[in-house]
Amino acid sequence: MRQITRRVTIAILVAIALLLALGALPGYLKSGDPYYVTATETDNRTAVPADALAPNRYPYTTAALANATGAAGNGTENATGRSGPYWKGPIGLKGAFTHSPFDEFDAIGQRNTSAATETAVFVRDNGTVYRLEVTQNP
């Protein structure tokens, strides 16, 4: 009985370790060209307020907005902000286990359908409307 308990305990610990590795590993996979969220000032239109987007839930969107706002503060006309890179990973494995800018765009589009198109979402930050797109060009 003691040997069976030991084997079951080891099997459970191995299963937990594998599940933890499966959850952490996709974040490190990088392949192909990276994707970025870019924020560009645009004309006034229906947009989601930026203060409704939590930085921990929308890290790519908030990073792009922060970089666009910082560039605009430097006197740059039509400032473009860019988020950090996101790599899709091989064979679509990463998308099932990690957060992506595509997830953020889906969530923003569902929040306000009139503030989204097929390729972009619109966010208002400090009275300025930004067009956010996922691009592969830095």
Side-chain angles (χ1 to χ4, degrees):
M1 183 93 159
R2 196 171 193 190
Q3 200 169 26
I4 292 173
T5 305
R6 185 178 308 146
R7 287 182 183 169
V8 169
T9 303
I10 290 173
I12 289 172
L13 291 174
V14 167
I16 289 171
L18 287 173
L19 288 173
L20 287 173
L22 184 61
L25 178 64
Y28 297 110
L29 297 175
K30 297 179 182 177
S31 70
D33 294 329
Y35 289 84
Y36 301 93
V37 173
T38 57
T40 308
E41 288 184 36
T42 188
D43 297 332
N44 195 6
R45 61 163 290 150
T46 302
V48 174
D51 58 0
L53 305 176
N56 60 344
R57 184 165 179 206
Y58 299 95
Y60 294 102
T61 301
T62 54
L65 287 171
N67 291 336
T69 304
N74 294 333
T76 308
E77 290 294 320
N78 292 330
T80 299
R82 185 183 78 176
S83 70
Y86 169 78
W87 284 271
K88 270 192 164 181
I91 60 173
L93 174 69
K94 185 175 180 178
F97 294 100
T98 61
H99 180 76
S100 75
F102 306 106
D103 298 331
E104 292 182 17
F105 274 48
D106 289 343
I108 294 170
Q110 289 173 1
R111 182 176 284 210
N112 187 341
T113 56
S114 62
T117 66
E118 281 190 28
T119 60
V121 295
F122 297 88
V123 176
R124 183 180 313 279
D125 190 22
N126 293 327
T128 304
V129 177
Y130 292 95
R131 176 186 174 93
L132 282 82
E133 296 179 288
V134 176
T135 63
Q136 286 191 300
N137 300 328

